[in-house]
Amino acid sequence: MNRESSFRAPSKRRHRGSNPNMAGPHQLFDDTSAGPAPHGMEYHNHGSPSLGIPTQAFLSEPMSNFAMAYGSSLASQGKEMVDKNIDRIIPVNKLKYYFAVDTVYVGKKIGLLLFPYIHQDWEVKYQQDIPVAPRFDVNAPDLYIPVMAFITYLLVAGLALGTQNNFSPEILGMQASSALAWLIVEVVAVLLSLYLVTVNTDLTTVDLIAFSGYKYVGMISGVLSGLLFGKTGYYIALSWCCVSIVFFMIRTLRLKILSEAAAGGVLVRGARNQLRMYLTMAIAAVQPLFMYWLTYHLVR
């Protein structure tokens, strides 16, 4: 009797605490399949109970490493694609050649742009079929003068707008955007014309940007003369610079666009050579139009 009563005592205690409809009188264990776990027996699946580290940490670290590796591979592939596409239009690796200048070259080049009439030798020098750096040849195109002239033009334009009490960052930004947009339009139009005329030339896109950017030197001279001497000084200086840039462009581009015989001074008949001559003169003739269009409103 003692042994049986000691065995059934826990069953009676559980019988009192359980649901009378679900548990029988002789049930030894409670049914916990549909109810909450007994007190002290709950475990949350949020991590390791012994270490206290969330389980998501074990899953997120490999995923983050994979995402970083995948992202870096995409970035490298995108960089290679961008480099290839840019190099087709602008040879980025050759840009150092166009900035290989020194102080002597800059002084001679500006003098050539303003006074091209006294210059005799317009041939570009080569060394082993490679053109020499601009600092060794004043006839070589460069990007240093066009870039610095463009920036100086914006500064002079801001000064001119300030004298008119019309300066604002928005207006100066529109001035810069307009000048840059017209430069792009000019270069694209020349490239399209060269393609339509089927001219085999060694002119690159960077060369055209350089030649188109030289007109900013004359524009700066015209605006500064207008600020110092009024409208009369502006028109005199701009007219001189316009004639100079036309002469410079014809003497320079005729060696690039015209045939070798025409460049050497030999009269060559033919419709194709006439088209090349007209194209050269058209490129030179549009320079004064852009120079006047971008500066006339700065001097009043």
Side-chain angles (χ1 to χ4, degrees):
M1 293 298 292
N2 296 332
R3 187 179 301 173
E4 182 179 358
S5 62
S6 62
F7 176 76
R8 291 182 179 178
S11 177
K12 292 179 181 179
R13 286 194 296 268
R14 284 200 172 92
H15 179 68
R16 293 190 192 98
S18 61
N19 191 348
N21 297 326
M22 298 297 294
H26 301 289
Q27 185 175 355
L28 297 178
F29 301 99
D30 292 333
D31 186 7
T32 61
S33 61
H39 181 69
M41 298 294 290
E42 296 180 358
Y43 292 97
H44 299 283
N45 190 18
H46 295 299
S48 175
S50 59
L51 299 177
I53 301 176
T55 308
Q56 295 178 354
F58 295 97
L59 299 176
S60 62
E61 185 175 355
M63 291 299 294
S64 62
N65 293 335
F66 174 76
M68 291 177 61
Y70 184 70
S72 61
S73 65
L74 284 180
S76 61
Q77 293 177 2
K79 182 177 181 300
E80 293 177 359
M81 186 178 298
V82 170
D83 292 341
K84 290 180 180 179
N85 293 330
I86 291 180
D87 193 65
R88 293 178 182 177
I89 303 175
I90 300 177
V92 180
N93 296 328
K94 298 180 180 179
L95 286 180
K96 292 182 179 180
Y97 164 81
Y98 294 94
F99 287 94
V101 300
D102 55 11
T103 306
V104 177
Y105 168 82
V106 172
K108 290 182 177 180
K109 193 72 171 188
I110 293 177
L112 179 61
L113 293 172
L114 297 178
F115 306 97
Y117 315 104
I118 60 178
H119 192 64
Q120 299 296 329
D121 185 14
W122 294 87
E123 292 283 348
V124 178
K125 298 180 178 61
Y126 286 83
Q127 184 177 6
Q128 297 180 354
D129 297 333
I130 299 175
V132 299
R135 63 175 176 266
F136 301 118
D137 184 15
V138 71
N139 296 321
D142 71 285
L143 284 179
Y144 177 81
I145 292 178
V147 171
M148 297 305 296
F150 181 81
I151 297 174
T152 306
Y153 160 73
L154 295 180
L155 296 176
V156 173
L159 177 62
L161 292 173
T163 58
Q164 301 172 11
N165 295 325
N166 195 25
F167 175 81
S168 67
E170 292 79 10
I171 296 178
L172 188 60
M174 292 177 60
Q175 189 77 21
S177 301
S178 177
L180 185 60
W182 282 115
L183 179 64
I184 295 174
V185 169
E186 179 185 353
V187 173
V188 172
V190 173
L191 289 174
L192 182 60
S193 301
L194 292 175
Y195 174 77
L196 294 177
V197 181
T198 63
V199 176
N200 295 324
T201 178
D202 57 351
L203 277 175
T204 63
T205 306
V206 183
D207 293 335
L208 294 177
I209 294 174
F211 289 128
S212 299
Y214 286 142
K215 61 176 169 287
Y216 291 108
V217 176
M219 293 164 57
I220 295 170
S221 301
V223 176
L224 289 178
S225 299
L227 292 177
L228 295 176
F229 306 106
K231 279 284 189 178
T232 303
Y234 165 75
Y235 283 114
I236 293 175
L238 188 67
S239 299
W240 176 271
C241 294
C242 288
V243 176
S244 299
I245 196 65
V246 169
F247 186 87
F248 172 83
M249 294 291 283
I250 292 177
R251 295 300 302 268
T252 303
L253 293 180
R254 67 190 296 266
L255 301 177
K256 300 286 186 178
I257 298 178
L258 298 180
S259 61
E260 295 181 358
V266 180
L267 182 61
V268 178
R269 299 293 182 181
R272 179 170 297 181
N273 285 329
Q274 288 183 356
L275 288 176
R276 293 176 179 179
M277 181 182 65
Y278 293 151
L279 179 59
T280 304
M281 297 180 65
I283 295 173
V286 298
Q287 304 303 315
L289 299 179
F290 286 120
M291 294 171 67
Y292 177 75
W293 176 258
L294 295 174
T295 57
Y296 77 96
H297 62 281
L298 298 177
V299 179
R300 293 180 181 177

